[in-house]
Amino acid sequence: MQLETDAVLGSATLSAMYAYWDRIKGGSDIPLRRDLDPAEIGPKLLPYSLLTDVDTCLRTVRHRLVGTNFTDFFGSDITGKELSSVLSGNYLEFILGLYTLACERRAPIISHSKFLWDRGRLVKTSRLIMPLSKDGARADMCFTSQVFEAGEGDALPQVFIAADGAWDDISEKFSYFSASPV
């Protein structure tokens, strides 16, 4: 699916990751987990990568592999941890909703949001969540690329999903989300 991605993604890192995911899926709607090759992704992009197991029935996300950008940002390694042990409240529900939707729809999700972190530090983040399959049948994993930056941004998130050759704005589905700390 060829999409105009640069304007929606807003980051060279996310654009490069989307191009990689799109290439490895070949003729399928989503790639297999075994198609990911860290050597191909390369040392410039790997720090911004997450590999997660997603259970859409239980609405759980477990961090299987975590790039060093996340370890540096969070101040600890979250590899092996459930998302619910790292986040809480509305922000947890927002992120779980993104992962669940990406797997259920078998389509990449882009979100831009902001949140308070580290004793009131305002952080803007952009994430690209791309579904994967372990067995070729179910979307049960995600390959995510995420960048953090200081600064202002919209209070409510912008969320887009790949659909019918375009990025559809689905931000309204996430209007319950509040950037205030819980």
Side-chain angles (χ1 to χ4, degrees):
M1 170 185 346
Q2 279 297 71
L3 299 176
E4 222 14 79
T5 60
D6 291 344
V8 173
L9 290 168
S11 159
T13 298
L14 299 186
S15 291
M17 291 299 236
Y18 177 79
Y20 173 73
W21 179 87
D22 192 47
R23 184 175 55 74
I24 66 168
K25 73 183 180 82
S28 302
D29 60 343
I30 63 173
L32 295 170
R33 159 56 183 104
R34 69 176 176 252
D35 295 332
L36 284 180
D37 182 356
E40 256 188 89
I41 296 168
K44 271 182 80 173
L45 296 176
L46 277 175
Y48 302 95
S49 301
L50 289 170
L51 188 60
T52 55
D53 291 312
V54 180
D55 186 322
T56 57
C57 294
L58 297 175
R59 282 185 49 94
T60 59
V61 174
R62 186 178 64 83
H63 296 94
R64 180 181 283 252
L65 296 170
V66 178
T68 56
N69 182 54
F70 298 94
T71 301
D72 293 345
F73 180 80
F74 287 108
S76 65
D77 188 2
I78 59 174
T79 302
K81 292 187 178 183
E82 294 284 331
L83 186 62
S84 61
S85 72
V86 179
L87 301 176
S88 63
N90 285 344
Y91 203 63
L92 171 63
E93 289 305 311
F94 170 62
I95 302 301
L96 284 173
L98 295 176
Y99 277 102
T100 300
L101 189 60
C103 286
E104 287 176 348
R105 291 280 218 43
R106 300 174 68 90
I109 300 274
I110 298 166
S111 76
H112 306 286
S113 60
K114 70 177 184 177
F115 60 98
L116 291 176
W117 187 259
D118 193 26
R119 290 172 259 142
R121 180 176 54 156
L122 186 62
V123 177
K124 245 173 44 171
T125 187
S126 295
R127 75 181 53 75
L128 171 62
I129 301 172
M130 302 160 282
L132 300 170
S133 178
K134 291 177 199 164
D135 63 7
R138 296 179 319 133
D140 50 10
M141 296 184 80
C142 285
F143 176 51
T144 301
S145 183
Q146 185 169 352
V147 293
F148 302 101
E149 57 186 295
E152 296 299 318
D154 293 330
L156 294 176
Q158 293 178 300
V159 181
F160 303 88
I161 187 166
D164 299 323
W167 289 106
D168 286 347
D169 186 341
I170 58 168
S171 302
E172 191 174 290
K173 286 184 175 228
F174 296 92
S175 62
Y176 64 85
F177 172 71
S178 165
S180 61
V182 177

